[in-house]
Amino acid sequence: MTKPDPFGFDIRASVDKKKRNRGRRGMSGAFETSQRVCDHPGCEERGLYRAPKSPDVLDDYYWFCKQHVREYNLKWNFFEGSTEEEFSAQIDKDRVWGRKTKSFKQSAEERAWARLGVDDPHQVLGDNATRNPGKSVTGTRRLPPTERKALEILDARDHWTKAEVRKSYKALIKVLHPDMNGGDRSDEERLQEVVWAWDQIKDSRNFRD
């Protein structure tokens, strides 16, 4: 004995076939199961063929017999009451199946930046676009604490060569040396730090020559 479906569904093929036959439309376009009378005045034939009542309401129909649906279709004008501009716009829309053509002027990447309000991807860096110092002084390489401190004093980077660090060292010497400041020795302590820092780097094996 088959138990009743607790959800109330009947999935038998025979039941589905009966449902599909209701209102089934034949190859001619006729709804063979229609019991309507033709909507043409004075006609008593069965209304097996449907026709939209208006271009603005395409899902509301008249029901006609075969003879009167032909007459109705011959007089049907979808663009009746439309201006020439509206007619041209509809033709252009139908050429692409109602889907608006996307512009090819912008790439996918450019459209992504545009959604973020950025016209040029380089703008996202702001002023830092021209001030990026490269790799940071700390955290990119393992160095002894003395050499790490030396780099900070010399305002250098841990991926620089010795020649590049030496240029930074020389630039600081020119700024801090008393001979370049009219004998002023106020930066002498800072100068000693710079000399000490260069001594740590010039003999190090952690920097390329």
Side-chain angles (χ1 to χ4, degrees), residues 142-208:
R142 287 188 176 183
L143 295 174
T146 54
E147 293 181 12
R148 182 66 64 190
K149 179 65 175 177
L151 289 176
E152 293 176 3
I153 293 173
L154 296 173
D155 195 21
R157 307 290 179 263
D158 57 11
H159 64 280
W160 285 6
T161 63
K162 284 185 182 179
E164 290 174 317
V165 178
R166 188 167 182 268
K167 286 182 180 179
S168 182
Y169 160 71
K170 283 189 171 183
L172 289 171
I173 289 293
K174 289 180 180 179
V175 173
L176 301 173
H177 201 282
D179 292 347
M180 303 299 295
N181 292 284
D184 184 3
R185 294 182 176 272
S186 60
D187 292 324
E188 190 169 354
E189 185 175 346
R190 168 72 171 144
L191 178 62
Q192 290 175 358
E193 288 182 352
V194 170
V195 173
W196 172 87
W198 172 240
D199 287 340
Q200 310 309 308
I201 302 299
K202 69 179 181 180
D203 296 327
S204 173
R205 296 182 181 181
N206 295 318
F207 296 87
R208 292 182 293 109

Side-chain angles (χ1 to χ4, degrees), residues 22-40:
R22 294 174 187 172
R24 186 175 181 181
R25 185 170 60 180
M27 295 296 292
S28 66
F31 287 80
E32 302 293 346
T33 58
S34 173
Q35 300 300 318
R36 298 175 178 85
V37 178
C38 178
D39 284 327
H40 190 275

Side-chain angles (χ1 to χ4, degrees), residues 89-146:
Q90 184 65 44
I91 294 298
D92 292 338
K93 185 178 180 181
D94 290 342
R95 285 196 184 104
V96 292
W97 299 281
R99 297 180 179 179
K100 187 177 180 180
T101 304
K102 296 181 180 180
S103 173
F104 290 97
K105 293 182 179 179
Q106 280 189 323
S107 65
E109 182 181 356
E110 289 171 336
R111 289 194 296 272
W113 283 115
R115 285 195 292 270
L116 297 174
V118 179
D119 297 327
D120 183 353
H122 295 290
Q123 291 178 355
V124 75
L125 298 176
D127 293 337
N128 291 330
T130 56
R131 298 179 187 175
N132 191 345
K135 295 182 180 178
S136 66
V137 174
T138 60
T140 57
R141 289 180 58 191
R142 287 188 176 183
L143 295 174
T146 54

